Amino acid sequence: MATRLQARRLDGIDHNPWVECTKMASEYDAVNLGQGFPDFPPPDFALQAFQLALSSDFMLNQYTKAFVIIIEPFFDCYEPMTLMAGGHPVFVTLKPSPTQDGELDSASNWQLDPTELASKFTSRTKALILNTPNNPVGKVFSKAELELVANLCQQHDVICITDEVYQWLVYDGYQHTSIASLPGMWERTLTIGSAGKSFSATGWKVGWVLGPDSLVKHLRTVHQNSIYHCPTQGQAAVAQSFQHEQLHFGQPSSYFVQFPQAMQRCRDHMIRSLQSVGLKPVIPQGSYFFIADISDFKKKMPDLPGDKDEPYDRRFVKWMIKNKGLAAIPTSIFYSRPHQKHFDHYIRFCFVKDESTLQAMDEKLQKWKEELRP
């Protein structure tokens, strides 16, 4: 049989750091602070809705090369998805502003250069992918920043695909604004949401896209001819959960009010704890995640084991799993290859964790802290 070569568009996207880090975390019995899943149950009303959907109606068990601008850091599936669709990714980078000595960085300091962003738009640009709140930095784009993106999209007749799965998880009084709500943007925007992130049920794998029918009809065609649909019970449970939330929306009893308050406390706990061993968290405005600066470690121990060309953050994460029993995700995987070496001094943590996980983390960090003493 003749040797079969894979399509060139798959080059470089077949290696999966998620699998590697998760496997190592299991092997070394590490506290997994890397992956973005809550290790606590969804709210009772969501579970009850799912149980009802499973047991009530038996019919729910039946069928019911364009250039694409990607703002980095980006969730790592955006690039391979663009390539698989035959598109050509064009990257524009959020850049951190300098901070004062001893002051923690904030995700709000990571900003687009308006001139650089504008330079990425050409006659071949067909779409821009936006993620707010951002994974992995936790940046919530301000209305002024969104207006900059919106004006360029309208000027160049570009579709905006906006990933807003963390829209309910915003902290410190910041406000999430959907770019589709800005003048002239509804008709050119696809807004992506997630029940998994909204209701802490990431295994349900139920999501949605909002937008004008002129765009959504094409998504329906692709969806219908690929996975067709997800389990109907999950969709029914999500619909009932939203109906529940609509009755409480904006009130203290709302899950969308209570959940971010609880997760902000978890965020603050983890930030304080990680600082005790010399990690420097970048305070997020939203999402499940923050990144932490490991520059000091890179200076003190630059020659960690690993492949010659392997970014430092990947080597550091493996070292931390093996030697400190803590798992994180290297931030360089959220960048295009040419830019990975410029951001390999950050690692990503997920703080949407149960109290028992945070306690286990503290025990590991306390041991690490004791090892640092002369």
Side-chain angles (χ1 to χ4, degrees):
M1 185 175 179
T3 302
R4 295 182 181 272
L5 300 177
Q6 70 176 17
R8 289 182 179 176
R9 66 178 181 273
L10 300 179
D11 289 348
I13 65 174
D14 50 349
H15 174 66
N16 193 321
W18 301 90
V19 174
E20 182 180 19
C21 291
T22 302
K23 182 180 178 183
M24 285 186 64
S26 177
E27 288 175 354
Y28 290 91
D29 195 26
V31 179
N32 192 343
L33 308 176
Q35 287 179 284
F37 64 88
D39 55 0
F40 48 81
D44 289 344
F45 66 82
L47 289 175
Q48 291 166 5
F50 194 82
Q51 291 166 355
L52 180 64
L54 285 172
S55 60
S56 59
D57 185 353
F58 75 92
M59 286 303 294
L60 292 177
N61 294 294
Q62 312 307 321
Y63 283 136
T64 54
K65 239 182 212 196
F67 281 34
V68 178
I69 296 173
I70 301 176
I71 298 172
E72 58 180 357
F74 56 89
F75 187 47
D76 62 331
C77 69
Y78 297 166
E79 182 180 9
M81 285 179 172
T82 300
L83 293 169
M84 289 296 290
H88 177 78
V90 176
F91 301 98
V92 59
T93 309
L94 289 169
K95 296 184 174 68
S97 304
T99 58
Q100 308 241 342
D101 287 344
E103 180 181 294
L104 286 182
D105 195 2
S106 167
S108 62
N109 292 333
W110 290 57
Q111 299 186 358
L112 292 168
D113 179 325
T115 302
E116 181 186 9
L117 176 62
S119 73
K120 303 296 182 179
F121 285 80
T122 72
S123 59
R124 301 179 69 179
T125 306
K126 302 302 179 185
L128 176 143
I129 299 176
L130 172 72
N131 177 208
T132 182
N134 172 270
N135 172 15
V137 174
K139 175 183 174 62
V140 175
F141 282 74
S142 68
K143 187 174 181 181
E145 290 171 313
L146 295 175
E147 287 172 342
L148 168 67
V149 174
N151 290 337
L152 288 167
C153 287
Q154 293 177 61
Q155 181 182 337
H156 295 273
D157 194 21
V158 165
I159 291 171
C160 180
I161 303 168
T162 176
D163 179 349
E164 300 181 10
V165 299
Y166 301 105
Q167 69 178 98
W168 306 111
L169 285 165
V170 180
Y171 314 114
D172 299 322
Y174 287 100
Q175 296 293 318
H176 168 76
T177 300
S178 178
I179 195 169
S181 68
L182 300 183
M185 286 304 292
W186 166 256
E187 58 266 30
R188 65 175 64 254
T189 302
L190 292 168
T191 304
I192 300 168
S194 164
K197 306 303 184 184
S198 298
F199 295 112
S200 307
T202 55
W204 289 9
K205 294 299 181 185
V206 178
W208 54 86
V209 177
L210 303 176
D213 188 64
S214 59
L215 297 177
V216 173
K217 67 180 181 181
H218 301 297
L219 293 187
R220 287 197 296 266
T221 300
V222 173
H223 198 267
Q224 179 177 318
N225 291 284
S226 52
I227 64 168
Y228 197 76
H229 69 77
C230 59
T232 313
Q233 296 96 332
Q235 297 177 66
V238 170
Q240 291 176 45
S241 295
F242 272 119
Q243 288 175 347
H244 174 278
E245 271 304 287
Q246 199 167 20
L247 298 175
H248 299 267
F249 193 72
Q251 302 173 38
S253 58
S254 169
Y255 184 70
F256 293 156
V257 172
Q258 295 175 355
F259 187 43
Q261 291 173 346
M263 291 308 100
Q264 182 168 324
R265 291 191 292 271
C266 292
R267 179 201 69 172
D268 294 345
H269 178 150
M270 189 177 287
I271 285 174
R272 287 192 303 270
S273 295
L274 292 177
Q275 288 182 85
S276 69
V277 295
L279 294 163
K280 297 179 179 178
V282 177
I283 301 173
Q285 302 164 282
S287 86
Y288 276 14
F289 311 104
F290 62 75
I291 61 175
D293 191 331
I294 56 171
S295 297
D296 290 346
F297 291 91
K298 190 175 181 181
K299 293 173 185 174
K300 294 175 184 175
M301 45 186 202
D303 300 318
L304 291 177
D307 295 336
K308 179 183 176 183
D309 298 325
E310 190 173 23
Y312 182 79
D313 58 345
R314 300 191 193 190
R315 289 184 280 138
F316 183 89
V317 163
K318 293 175 185 178
W319 170 85
M320 190 171 68
I321 292 172
K322 291 180 180 179
N323 296 280
K324 305 303 177 185
L326 294 170
I329 296 294
T331 300
S332 63
I333 71 168
F334 301 103
Y335 284 88
S336 58
R337 285 195 175 187
H339 296 157
Q340 287 182 357
K341 61 181 178 292
H342 302 304
F343 293 91
D344 72 346
H345 55 287
Y346 294 99
I347 57 176
R348 192 197 76 169
F349 291 93
C350 174
F351 54 86
V352 180
K353 299 297 179 185
D354 186 71
E355 182 63 30
S356 62
T357 303
L358 296 178
Q359 290 175 359
M361 172 197 70
D362 285 339
E363 292 172 5
K364 301 283 189 182
L365 289 170
Q366 181 60 34
K367 185 177 178 182
W368 187 351
K369 186 177 178 181
E370 290 170 359
E371 293 170 352
L372 293 173
R373 290 174 183 159

